Amino acid sequence: MVRQISTDVLHIVEPANDGYQLTLRLDFSKLPHNKESLKIITEVSSVQAVILSSQLKEMLQNVNSWDSSQGMYKPIKLIYHPKEPFYVIRQPQKIVAVFPMRFKDNSDVIIATSFFQELMDVVSLKKWAKVPPCNWSPIPPLELRGESFEDLSTNGGFVSFDISSHHVEGKRLDKTVWSLLNFYAYVKHHVKCTRGFIQRRMRRRLDNLVKVLEKSRVEDGQIKKVQGWRKMRKMVGSKSKMIKRRWGDLGKKIKRIRFRIKIHGFSRFRRRWLTVPSFSSSTAYTKLQTNGNNN
């Protein structure tokens, strides 16, 4: 496949560099300056996907070739996207693909976790009985015991798919390989779209709330319009001040009128029953006058 791209531009270096399966040398001086150059660049950039997909195809085609004498197979680490490896584990009559999920924002973790749980619920339905079973767990599966701590340290858990023989029959093989290689990209696209949808809904509801407050705000016989959701905090603050001022005026009025309440007949009742009587004594008292010279 590499030799068919362009023998003048692309050359295979043998042996490959240490730690790599393939080393290519590109001669940019012989790269054509027309649309053919774009085609060559696209084919060169797809070399990694072709190599990885061919390896994954070979593993999936041998899904039933289980040798019990070899015991448990070690997980095979595949890297299609940088810093996003996934593991392929061969088990009896199936192959398990495990994806460690990592996200930068906490909001993305919440959206992705909800998506994984919903994905498990959908796959468990009878309607989707033929699709690969999906499992999500916040902790790594036992098959990944012994792998590096850096690869197993995630904040989004681990998603695994069980691939059996009927998932790789005929044309399903290419579709299954493509789905596994692009699962990370699919999850990121779903999270990004969901976050954008939530933000649009929040802005829309906030705009509707601003419109309602605009209609209800009347002060000094004039309606003051507030443009944009960014001014909502200022408007809500002034609204609260206006409410406090009105309630303060109402409280003062209540204090003034609460002593003006009259009960019909209460004055007569007060004169008769609530008046303190005057007492007269038969004993007369005379004021004593003292002389300043007396001791």
Side-chain angles (χ1 to χ4, degrees), residues 67-132:
D67 190 358
S68 59
S69 62
Q70 296 183 3
M72 293 294 295
Y73 285 90
K74 291 184 178 181
I76 300 175
K77 181 180 178 180
L78 301 177
I79 302 177
Y80 182 56
H81 298 281
K83 298 182 180 181
E84 293 181 348
F86 67 97
Y87 297 88
V88 177
I89 308 169
R90 182 175 294 179
Q91 293 183 357
Q93 305 300 323
K94 67 178 182 179
I95 288 179
V96 181
V98 182
F99 295 85
M101 307 304 300
R102 300 177 182 86
F103 302 94
K104 295 181 180 180
D105 300 332
N106 294 332
S107 59
D108 294 346
V109 176
I110 297 174
I111 296 174
T113 302
S114 177
F115 168 69
F116 297 147
Q117 293 174 350
E118 184 178 357
L119 184 62
M120 288 191 301
D121 296 338
V122 171
V123 171
S124 62
L125 299 177
K126 294 182 179 180
K127 181 179 178 180
W128 307 102
K130 295 183 179 180
V131 302

Side-chain angles (χ1 to χ4, degrees), residues 136-154:
W136 175 82
S137 175
I139 59 176
L142 297 177
E143 292 80 4
L144 297 183
R145 182 180 299 174
E147 297 297 325
S148 63
F149 178 77
E150 182 181 358
D151 294 338
L152 301 183
S153 58
T154 65

Side-chain angles (χ1 to χ4, degrees), residues 178-227:
W178 186 90
S179 299
L180 293 177
L181 292 179
N182 294 277
F183 179 71
Y184 278 119
Y186 174 75
V187 172
K188 289 183 177 180
H189 176 74
H190 175 79
V191 171
K192 183 178 180 180
C193 294
T194 304
R195 185 174 62 248
F197 173 76
I198 294 175
Q199 292 174 352
R200 289 194 300 270
R201 289 290 301 272
M202 291 176 64
R203 292 193 188 99
R204 188 180 304 171
R205 295 193 63 179
L206 189 58
D207 291 339
N208 294 335
L209 180 60
V210 169
K211 293 179 181 179
V212 173
L213 293 176
E214 285 179 357
K215 295 180 180 179
S216 62
R217 186 186 184 192
V218 179
E219 186 176 6
D220 297 334
Q222 295 181 356
I223 301 177
K224 297 183 179 180
K225 297 184 178 180
V226 179
Q227 298 178 353

Side-chain angles (χ1 to χ4, degrees), residues 1 44-55 80 177 181:
M1 176 264 182
V44 171
S45 62
S46 63
V47 170
Q48 181 184 4
V50 172
I51 295 176
L52 195 61
S53 63
S54 62
Q55 294 177 344
Y80 182 56
V177 170
L181 292 179

